[in-house]
């Protein structure tokens, strides 16, 4: 399967393993991953965030309930919301999540946004699990026609060592552990270049409930809600 599907499947497998009830997808773009996740029966709250409202709106109708959802309502409740805003800003609507996914997001962040990102995701949102994927620049020698970066909007592409040192430092700062993996295997004999997409899975070391954080930090909303569906 194409690489993006392998990334989505990786997240789906993680959801099936850890059974989070509340999942937020940061940089959700056209909501493809959210659409896949709405079929995971453990999830009761799904939220998407993107800085580009237009790309979110393209296919957000696919997140609306279908006639069958009304005719055969399921036991679980599911609420899906989409927010317009930046991962560089904190908003109380992002509190209380169990799993936060950032798939191919960080390489699109400006330096100033990337600096604020760990404090927003790990410090403020502080979910029990965070998944971050990003291109592995060492794999680029195996890709035809890659000039500098795989995509013109990429602000950087990191080697395995660069991603791992950023991830380890972030994990240390916010009291998480991190495990490295990826999708898109290198060809036999070239294992050293690593996965095409590198992935860090972060686990919060300390126990905490979103609700307790929320009451401690009353604050203003900065994101704009652009979609909401209740199943
Ligand atoms: N996660 C999706 C996937 O894997 O298919 C889309 C990845 S796309 C390459 C990166 C997305 O991040 C874009 O939709 C872009 O608008 C969004 N983005 C870029 N900067 C952002 C920011 N500061 N806050 C939130 N989203 C941002």
């Amino acid at each position: 399967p194409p690489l993006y599907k392998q990334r989505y499947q990786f997240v789906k497998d993680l959801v099936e393993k850890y059974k989070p009830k509340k999942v937020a997808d940061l940089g959700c773009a056209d909501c493809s991953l959210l659409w896949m996740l709405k079929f995971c029966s453990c999830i009761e709250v799904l939220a998407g965030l993107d800085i580009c409202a237009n790309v979110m709106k393209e296919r957000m109708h696919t997140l609306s309930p279908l006639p069958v959802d009304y005719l055969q309502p399921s036991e679980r409740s599911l609420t899906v919301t989409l927010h317009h805003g930046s991962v560089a800003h904190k908003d109380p609507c992002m509190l209380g999540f169990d799993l936060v996914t950032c798939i191919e997001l960080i390489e699109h962040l400006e330096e100033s946004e990337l600096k604020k990102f760990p404090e927003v995701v790990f410090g403020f949102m502080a979910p029990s699990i965070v998944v971050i994927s990003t291109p592995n620049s060492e794999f680029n020698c195996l890709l035809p026609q890659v000039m500098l970066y795989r995509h013109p909007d990429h602000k950087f592409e990191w080697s395995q060592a660069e991603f791992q040192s950023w991830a380890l430092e972030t994990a240390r700062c916010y009291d998480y552990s991190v495990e490295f993996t990826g999708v898109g295997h290198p060809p036999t004999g070239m294992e050293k270049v690593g996965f095409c997409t590198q992935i860090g899975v972060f686990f919060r070391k300390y126990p905490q409930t979103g609700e307790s954080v929320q009451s401690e930090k009353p604050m203003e909303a900065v994101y704009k809600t652009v979609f909401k569906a209740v199943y």
Side-chain angles (χ1 to χ4, degrees):
L3 207 59
Y4 76 92
K5 285 198 177 158
Q6 294 182 49
R7 289 191 288 260
Y8 296 167
Q9 190 59 47
F10 179 88
V11 173
K12 211 174 171 198
D13 291 344
L14 209 69
V15 165
E16 262 139 34
K17 183 168 176 192
Y18 293 102
K19 308 241 178 286
K21 283 188 180 168
K22 302 182 179 186
V23 180
D25 185 30
L26 311 185
C28 64
D30 68 0
C31 309
S32 305
L33 177 59
L34 289 171
W35 180 82
M36 248 179 99
L37 294 179
K38 104 187 164 84
F39 298 97
C40 297
S41 57
C42 61
I43 298 178
E44 293 173 5
V45 175
L46 257 183
L49 173 72
D50 206 285
I51 202 166
C52 178
N54 287 337
V55 69
M56 265 194 299
K57 285 175 183 170
E58 269 172 34
R59 295 181 60 240
M60 71 180 181
H61 60 272
T62 63
L63 298 173
S64 295
L66 301 168
V68 63
D69 294 309
Y70 295 111
L71 293 169
Q72 297 170 345
S74 77
E75 284 293 300
R76 66 138 176 191
S77 72
L78 172 65
T79 305
V80 186
T81 48
L82 296 178
H83 306 279
H84 178 216
S86 170
V87 291
H89 300 134
K90 298 174 183 175
D91 187 294
C93 75
M94 283 289 145
L95 290 172
F97 285 88
D98 304 307
L99 169 67
V100 168
T101 57
C102 311
I103 304 305
E104 306 299 274
L105 166 69
I106 60 170
E107 68 276 8
H108 293 268
L109 301 179
E110 302 283 354
E111 208 179 319
S112 62
E113 297 174 310
L114 184 67
K115 269 218 179 79
K116 293 178 185 151
F117 172 85
E119 174 53 27
V120 175
V121 174
F122 295 91
F124 174 71
M125 298 178 68
S128 31
I129 307 177
V130 179
V131 188
I132 296 181
S133 84
T134 194
N136 164 19
S137 64
E138 290 165 82
F139 199 96
N140 289 355
C141 63
L142 299 171
L143 302 172
Q145 285 164 3
V146 167
M147 301 300 280
L148 177 59
Y149 296 139
R150 294 183 199 174
H151 190 277
D153 188 52
H154 287 179
K155 308 301 186 291
F156 59 87
E157 286 178 0
W158 280 338
S159 67
Q160 297 171 90
E162 286 169 318
F163 176 55
Q164 291 179 16
S165 77
W166 176 85
L168 286 166
E169 176 57 16
T170 302
R172 193 191 58 75
C173 257
Y174 294 97
D175 210 10
Y176 280 68
S177 61
V178 55
E179 291 171 8
F180 298 103
T181 177
V183 293
H185 283 271
T188 319
M190 307 223 42
E191 287 78 7
K192 252 181 61 192
V193 303
F195 292 103
C196 188
T197 297
Q198 44 187 346
I199 299 177
V201 185
F202 300 74
F203 298 90
R204 199 185 58 217
K205 288 187 187 168
Y206 58 95
Q208 185 193 54
T209 66
E211 278 69 32
S212 71
V213 182
Q214 207 152 7
S215 54
E216 281 164 25
K217 303 178 187 169
M219 63 183 304
E220 216 181 307
V222 291
Y223 299 164
K224 190 169 171 266
T225 304
V226 293
F227 175 89
K228 181 165 181 167
V230 180
Y231 284 72

